[in-house]
Amino acid sequence: MEQYVIKGGNPLVGEVEIGGAKNAALAILAAAIMTDEMVYIENLPDVRDINVLLEAIKEIGAVVERVSPTEVKITGSTISDISVEYEYIKKIRASYYLLGALLGKYKSAEVPLPGGCNIGSRPIDQHLKGFRALGASVDILHGAVVAKAENLTGKHIFLDMVSVGATINIMMAAAMATGNTIIENAAREPHVVDVANFLNSMGASIKGAGTDVIRIQGVEKLHGTTYSIIPDQIEAGTFMCAAAATRGDIMVKNVIPKHLEATTAKLEEIGCQVEEFDDAVRVVANKRLTRTHVKTMPYPGYPTDMQPQFAVALTLAEGTSIVTESIFENRFKYADELSRMGANIKVEGNTAIIDGVEKLTGARVSAPDLRAGAALVIAGLAAEGFTVVDDIVYIQRGYERFEDKLRSLGAEIERVSSEKEIQKFQLRIG
């Protein structure tokens, strides 16, 4: 089992390049099999979830050629199986995007129920409601979702709650349905827009992505395309919070500043200086941070995936801050781990009350999920002394070359796989 060992206390300073958006890439890779022609995808993040999904796509018969760690060619004409059985697929949440893609193209799909991080209940009832509205019969048999249709027909669908996954899945299936589909109360996240733009580049007719009403005119078939994925707003936000927590100065490059507005606003509120450029943001924290309140909301509100990282910065801020989680009920598992490092954090229901402390101290902690894992790394970088973060397999699911990028900013961090290596690092760094 791999771990990160960190010697904290250095401000992070320098420039960091952000990779492609994991959440957009997973849906786009699934959508790429909806044409028989070759699709060329650029700016792909080289992370575990992506590699698992590519293996699953290969497993059902598609031709997958990894041109480089960030580029892939996919040809879906050779798909021979609409039943996804690849064992690892259960480990990633986005496996459900293969449902919308296969159902749209072949009018039939069988995909295991999704796994991913245990951050709370994430039902897929809105996805299934959408598929049924388009005319599919949907059953859950032996741990898999089985969807079939003679034909898919456009429909007016109102989502009971804002769901990124359901919006994207219904959009994919409806892209090749007969007639027009309207999705109301649709998610507005940047990766919803990116998937719509990708499908449109393949010949789909989707309008309104980025608003809460998406209109789709079904087409008979889709064609090949070359497409570059948007930058990852959560990776960018993670480095922005790392600058805040370590009192650093980081230029975060290859970003779309508009996608980062909620994070930027909160960092400015607690005393960071944030400067925006065309495709970069610079975050400077040169004094002690101040308290604030933050509540997670669907886009354009404050992102749930940025909640743990921001909470780490608040543990070191002056005064009492309140963090309210309104998306997932199980997102504060990192609180106990931060307490080991000297944070004063108390969780009550969906709220964390944080009394800022002067400093954190290094400890052995365990990553409970992807974003909380990244947050604990930030805490380790800000803390005095050595921190060991266990279970970093979660972090590798969504961050590309994380320790390399941090080292380029002056962090003392190493990925290790034994107690002996931890001791070696501690002796070397002192």
Side-chain angles (χ1 to χ4, degrees):
M1 192 65 82
E2 289 188 316
Q3 298 126 322
Y4 283 137
V5 57
I6 301 160
K7 167 85 182 293
N10 296 341
L12 297 187
V13 177
E15 297 183 347
V16 66
E17 191 97 11
I18 298 305
K22 173 185 84 97
N23 290 335
L26 290 164
I28 285 169
L29 289 176
I33 65 174
M34 293 178 70
T35 173
D36 282 345
E37 295 176 22
M38 192 268 285
V39 171
Y40 193 102
I41 299 167
E42 301 167 320
N43 203 32
L44 195 67
D46 185 17
V47 296
R48 188 164 296 196
D49 277 13
I50 295 295
N51 300 331
V52 169
L53 188 61
L54 284 173
E55 283 300 323
I57 288 169
K58 209 188 281 185
E59 211 46 30
I60 57 172
V63 175
V64 176
E65 186 194 335
R66 199 70 177 261
V67 181
S68 78
T70 59
E71 296 164 292
V72 70
K73 288 180 185 173
I74 297 173
T75 309
S77 58
T78 51
I79 289 174
S80 54
D81 195 353
I82 50 81
S83 173
V84 180
E85 288 179 7
Y86 184 60
E87 59 179 310
Y88 294 111
I89 202 71
K90 295 175 189 167
K91 295 181 182 174
I92 64 167
R93 184 72 194 157
S95 59
Y96 55 43
Y97 288 137
L98 290 169
L99 277 168
L102 290 168
L103 186 62
K105 185 180 182 186
Y106 297 107
K107 311 300 178 261
S108 185
E110 188 175 325
V111 178
L113 280 164
C117 288
N118 181 18
I119 53 174
S121 165
R122 298 190 279 181
I124 60 166
D125 57 321
Q126 296 302 297
H127 305 234
L128 308 188
K129 168 184 165 168
F131 296 151
R132 288 183 181 122
L134 295 171
S137 70
V138 184
D139 297 294
I140 293 175
L141 301 170
H142 311 296
V145 180
V146 181
K148 288 190 176 77
E150 285 294 313
N151 194 28
L152 296 176
T153 309
K155 201 73 180 211
H156 196 132
I157 299 165
F158 190 95
L159 295 177
D160 300 330
M161 56 181 283
V162 176
S163 164
V164 172
T167 301
I168 289 173
N169 237 339
I170 295 164
M171 198 163 68
M172 287 198 282
M176 295 182 79
T178 305
N180 297 329
T181 297
I182 297 171
I183 307 172
E184 289 212 53
N185 199 28
R188 298 157 58 186
E189 268 74 359
H191 45 291
V192 173
V193 180
D194 208 32
V195 178
N197 289 343
F198 172 72
L199 287 165
N200 285 341
S201 78
M202 291 165 71
S205 176
I206 300 169
K207 294 185 176 132
T211 74
D212 57 0
V213 181
I214 297 177
R215 298 170 193 277
I216 304 152
Q217 195 173 341
V219 296
E220 257 181 64
K221 67 177 202 164
L222 299 171
H223 56 69
T225 188
T226 296
Y227 193 81
S228 184
I229 290 162
I230 56 168
D232 196 313
Q233 71 188 84
I234 305 303
E235 186 192 6
T238 300
F239 281 100
M240 290 166 78
C241 285
T246 64
R247 295 203 196 174
D249 177 351
I250 301 179
M251 178 77 82
V252 185
K253 299 172 81 174
N254 184 35
V255 297
I256 299 170
K258 176 144 190 64
H259 295 170
L260 302 168
E261 281 175 350
T263 302
T264 296
K266 281 294 163 192
L267 288 171
E268 286 179 332
E269 220 171 273
I270 62 174
C272 295
Q273 295 161 33
V274 184
E275 201 178 343
E276 289 187 3
F277 302 89
D278 285 349
D279 62 351
V281 291
R282 181 183 175 198
V283 181
V284 183
N286 51 18
K287 57 183 190 289
R288 190 170 181 199
L289 306 171
T290 54
R291 60 182 282 283
T292 193
H293 296 345
V294 65
K295 181 179 185 180
T296 62
M297 299 288 282
Y299 188 85
Y302 192 85
T304 179
D305 276 358
M306 278 305 307
Q307 182 257 95
Q309 302 91 309
F310 190 64
V312 169
L314 295 179
T315 64
L316 293 160
E318 204 170 343
T320 301
S321 300
I322 295 173
V323 179
T324 306
E325 175 56 56
S326 70
I327 313 287
F328 296 121
E329 73 272 19
N330 215 0
R331 196 122 219 193
F332 288 121
K333 285 204 232 159
Y334 62 85
D336 287 345
E337 304 302 302
L338 281 180
S339 297
R340 290 173 197 268
M341 301 177 74
N344 190 343
I345 178 167
K346 188 169 75 174
V347 177
E348 292 177 1
N350 69 336
T351 300
I353 299 148
I354 302 170
D355 285 318
V357 294
E358 286 280 345
K359 63 174 187 183
L360 298 174
T361 52
R364 188 152 197 157
V365 294
S366 187
D369 60 68
L370 167 56
R371 304 306 172 185
L376 292 171
V377 170
I378 294 172
L381 293 166
E384 265 184 20
F386 289 96
T387 295
V388 176
V389 182
D390 291 323
D391 294 332
I392 65 167
V393 64
Y394 286 114
I395 302 169
Q396 291 163 342
R397 285 189 45 224
Y399 289 92
E400 175 180 288
R401 297 188 302 104
F402 196 37
E403 66 273 24
D404 295 341
K405 290 183 181 184
L406 288 167
R407 269 199 296 270
S408 76
L409 298 168
E412 291 180 306
I413 177 171
E414 202 161 290
R415 186 166 61 174
V416 297
S417 51
S418 70
E419 293 300 318
K420 200 183 242 178
E421 286 180 72
I422 293 172
Q423 286 161 9
K424 256 194 204 164
F425 176 86
Q426 290 172 329
L427 281 170
R428 194 176 78 246
I429 302 294

